[in-house]
Every structure is written in structure tokens, then in C-alpha cells.
Amino acid sequence: MADIPDPQPGLVIRFSYLWRDERTRGREEGAKDRPCAVVLAIADTNGRKRVAVVPISHSKPPPNSGALAIPPETARRLGLDDFPQWIVTREVNSFTWPGSDIRLVPGKNPATIAYGFLPQHLANQVLEAVRDQVRRKSSKIVERDG
């Protein structure tokens, strides 16, 4: 049985992230599993947890996109590879926890879906960047339930 921790902002999980352009092309599941950072976790009116995650990517984002670089020491601590990585804040996947799109982190023993937590200051920056994208109406939210 895999360890599925309680979702909290800053938790980095393995997830089948569905980009907005993939959804537009008719896909229902992401093309690949990737690390994603939990931005928000709240209980809905039925007591279920609603979670919003942002993807972590090796692709260098365009200037002024709101993406945040992950410091190499943070990437190492989380067990990510040594290539530069960014937290993309212009897109969000929203789903009911735990959902069918969470995945096991390769090579982790015991089995878990979590890499660990972002440092608090970086988690705060991610949340503020996502809020900024929402305020500017430039955020793309992909609802993953149903």
C-alpha cells in the first residue's frame, strides 16, 4: 500500500498533469507523470478535499510567465534530477483528493506519491504567483473530475 499523505500547500507529489492545450485537443489524462506542487487544499461542502496543483517542468518558461525556478539544493533534497526545473504557475489542475491521477514516485521505498515539501518561502512565492495569474485572468484551470 502506498503512502498517501494529507495534501498541504507546498507538498510535491507525482501526478499525471493535464496541460490545458492537451485538454483542448481532447485528452483526458496527461501525456506523462511529473512532479507537481500542491497550491491549495480545502474541504468542499461535502467534506471532500479539493486540491489544486501546479506542474514542475524542465522546459524553460517564457519571460514574465510567472514561473519560478527551483533552487538546485531544493531539487536535490526532493529527489528530483539535476537538470534545471521550474514551477509553472500559469496553469492549474484541480481535483478531488486523492483522485485517480496521483502516481507513485519512482524508486521511493516505502512506496509514496510524495517527494517532500518545498521550503515555506518558495511555497509562499508559488501561491502568490498563482494568485497573481488569477487576478490578471491569465490562469488556465483544468478541472480533472468528471
Side-chain angles (χ1 to χ4, degrees):
M1 183 60 142
D3 175 37
I4 301 178
D6 193 44
Q8 297 176 39
L11 180 67
V12 177
I13 64 170
R14 187 137 183 103
F15 186 74
S16 178
Y17 190 86
L18 182 65
W19 296 96
R20 179 71 175 183
D21 65 332
E22 291 176 334
R23 169 59 62 88
T24 302
R25 292 191 312 265
R27 290 189 67 104
E28 293 183 15
E29 187 169 313
K32 75 180 216 180
D33 302 336
R34 67 177 58 247
C36 292
V38 174
V39 177
L40 183 65
I42 58 171
D44 69 12
T45 55
N46 297 318
R48 296 175 301 201
K49 290 196 178 169
R50 295 292 304 163
V51 175
V53 298
V54 291
I56 295 174
S57 176
H58 288 112
S59 298
K60 188 170 184 175
N64 303 317
S65 67
L68 299 166
I70 298 179
E73 60 276 6
T74 297
R76 275 191 296 281
R77 183 181 51 75
L78 291 171
L80 304 177
D81 62 36
D82 291 332
F83 297 102
Q85 300 185 56
W86 290 268
I87 301 170
V88 179
T89 61
R90 69 181 179 278
E91 291 203 19
V92 175
N93 275 195
S94 174
F95 62 99
T96 302
W97 187 262
S100 60
D101 295 303
I102 59 173
R103 304 289 190 258
L104 294 176
V105 174
K108 285 269 191 160
N109 191 11
T112 183
I113 63 155
Y115 292 91
F117 281 90
L118 296 173
Q120 190 62 52
H121 71 280
L122 183 55
N124 291 343
Q125 288 176 322
V126 171
L127 178 58
E128 189 53 42
V130 170
R131 283 182 179 158
D132 184 55
Q133 297 282 345
V134 169
R135 279 192 291 268
R136 291 188 293 135
K137 295 182 173 45
S138 58
S139 181
K140 299 172 186 171
I141 300 171
V142 176
E143 175 60 51
R144 298 299 300 277
D145 294 334

